[in-house]
Amino acid sequence: MAGPYRLGIVGLGRIAWLLEQDPLRGKPCTHLGAWTEREDVVLVAACDTDPERLEAFARAYPGVPLYRDHEAMLTRESLDLVSICAYATARCEMVVAAAEAGVRGIWCEKAMATSLAEADRMAVVLKAHGTAMTVAFMRRWAPPYYAVKTLLEDGAIGKLESINVHFTSNMLHTGTHAFDLLRLWCREVETVQAWLHTDSADAAQSGYRFNRQTPVTDLGGFALLSLGNGARATIHAADKAYFRFEFELLGSEGLIRIGNTQRELWQAAGSAHFTGFRELEQVPFPEVPATSCWRAAADNLVAAMEGRAVPQCTVADGRQALAIALAMHVSQREGHRPVRLDELPDTLAVPSR
């Protein structure tokens, strides 16, 4: 294959293109922002069911054909690449339709689906049509998070004992980002135990709404995860008066803090306050390339579509992160018992943004 590649975008919200207007964010910071940096990708169509979003997009990108129906767009435009930024409730059907229409590369937002049955259906259709797809867990392309993986493997903080995870929002919509990183660092999650927000006040705070009317059951709360390397992770997820996405990795010889605005490495050293004791002192976090995870993800998908690489965040990765979030709902419904990922019902569906 060779470009130029014809691109279509489904869902014209923040992550599709609007966040590029934020003056404080590094650029690119959206699907379209990343695609427009590539000279071999041409935007030829966009789709949304919201007339206001279509009007706003038309003002910014005059001349680009706009659609309110993704199937009509796929039928008429003969696309090579599609970014799917619609709500999770529609992503399965959209991915299937795109693959069946001959699209060669799909960049799908997270969570990739609302159930394991949907995720498995997507995987089967993608394989049958030879379509490359990557799931938008963007930290998979961010060097600082791979630096954490290297620090753990090199024993920089000794034996990893626990990870405290804090994020502002819901388990599927935001939490799957965190769960994917736990898998990157610590192998598979073995069991999940959860205490989700269920009373009306907490649910109203932690549950988003979509289509402006239909309530979403993707909730926040607390969870305890047993990790494949013997460590445990505590998950703290709820709306707050501030934004937070952060990990604290505690080891026998030090700790790591990393998040959207933090990179810290602390290691044990002789105490300056107590004779014969050791305390933690901060040391430099490893230097990493200042690359854009958005551009790297777009480049990775094109390379996968051309047969030169595999996606750094695969359909299987997306499925496992989704399974961790779904297991929390099973645990909640069954008296907060620890739940293994291999015992989840395929049909359990949790709507999410």
Side-chain angles (χ1 to χ4, degrees):
M1 298 180 66
Y5 296 120
R6 293 169 58 83
L7 167 70
I9 296 183
V10 183
L12 300 177
R14 287 159 51 86
I15 209 64
W17 74 288
L18 289 172
L19 288 178
E20 294 294 331
Q21 301 171 20
D22 183 347
L24 298 180
R25 290 177 182 256
K27 305 297 187 299
C29 58
T30 63
H31 287 247
L32 187 54
W35 286 128
T36 53
E37 285 198 348
R38 290 188 61 104
E39 296 181 355
D40 59 349
V41 174
V42 180
L43 177 67
V44 299
C47 176
D48 201 297
T49 59
D50 187 331
E52 293 181 5
R53 287 186 172 179
L54 289 172
E55 291 174 8
F57 197 82
R59 289 193 295 269
Y61 294 91
V64 174
L66 300 179
Y67 295 85
R68 296 191 67 176
D69 182 289
H70 68 277
E71 292 188 351
M73 183 185 77
L74 292 167
T75 298
R76 297 174 188 173
E77 296 295 343
S78 185
L79 302 174
D80 301 301
L81 290 163
V82 170
S83 277
I84 295 179
C85 307
Y87 288 117
T89 48
R91 286 174 195 151
C92 176
E93 294 302 329
M94 290 175 174
V95 166
V96 169
E100 291 179 342
V103 172
R104 309 309 300 162
I106 299 173
W107 190 355
C108 182
E109 268 301 318
K110 49 70 201 159
M112 64 178 284
T114 65
S115 71
L116 297 185
E118 288 181 347
D120 292 340
R121 181 186 174 205
M122 294 159 78
V124 169
V125 173
L126 290 164
K127 182 177 181 180
H129 291 274
T131 306
M133 187 175 102
T134 193
V135 183
F137 293 132
M138 299 312 300
R139 293 163 186 83
R140 282 272 177 164
W141 293 272
Y145 292 91
Y146 277 90
V148 171
K149 179 177 173 62
T150 300
L151 288 169
L152 293 175
E153 292 172 347
D154 292 346
I157 62 169
K159 180 182 178 182
L160 180 63
E161 298 173 349
S162 64
I163 305 179
N164 295 320
V165 187
H166 293 265
F167 53 84
T168 310
S169 190
N170 319 68
M171 294 301 189
L172 272 76
H173 179 66
T174 299
T176 49
H177 275 300
F179 309 152
D180 183 65
L181 287 171
L182 293 178
R183 293 184 61 246
L184 176 68
W185 296 332
C186 304
R187 303 193 294 275
E188 295 299 337
V189 171
E190 294 185 346
T191 63
V192 176
Q193 194 171 9
W195 294 260
L196 300 182
H197 296 157
T198 56
D199 68 55
S200 58
D202 284 341
Q205 288 185 345
S206 67
Y208 282 108
R209 304 180 73 84
F210 69 100
N211 294 340
R212 299 180 181 176
Q213 294 179 345
T214 306
V216 175
T217 56
D218 180 14
L219 304 174
F222 173 81
L224 179 63
L225 277 54
S226 296
L227 307 176
N229 62 353
R232 291 183 182 272
T234 57
I235 310 297
H236 307 262
D239 275 358
K240 299 176 177 63
Y242 54 90
F243 177 73
R244 189 179 187 190
F245 187 92
E246 183 180 317
F247 301 81
E248 183 181 63
L249 299 91
L250 302 170
S252 60
E253 293 289 327
L255 70 84
I256 300 167
R257 288 195 184 101
I258 187 166
N260 283 1
T261 59
Q262 275 191 309
R263 299 180 200 173
E264 297 179 11
L265 174 60
W266 297 71
Q267 294 179 321
S271 173
H273 308 284
F274 308 102
T275 301
F277 285 81
R278 302 177 77 206
E279 295 182 307
L280 293 179
E281 68 175 17
Q282 189 170 5
V283 299
F285 191 89
E287 293 288 335
V288 296
T291 59
S292 164
C293 62
W294 289 93
R295 175 60 191 269
D299 293 348
N300 178 225
L301 179 54
V302 171
M305 183 179 70
E306 295 175 343
R308 299 183 288 107
V310 297
Q312 282 182 233
C313 191
T314 65
V315 173
D317 292 321
R319 184 191 190 277
Q320 287 301 97
L322 172 63
I324 294 167
L326 293 175
M328 295 178 182
H329 286 262
V330 174
S331 176
Q332 172 69 30
R333 296 176 186 184
E334 299 185 4
H336 315 293
R337 73 173 179 89
V339 174
R340 300 190 316 274
L341 300 191
D342 61 5
E343 60 178 307
L344 297 179
D346 291 346
T347 55
L348 171 65
V350 176
S352 174
R353 284 205 301 173

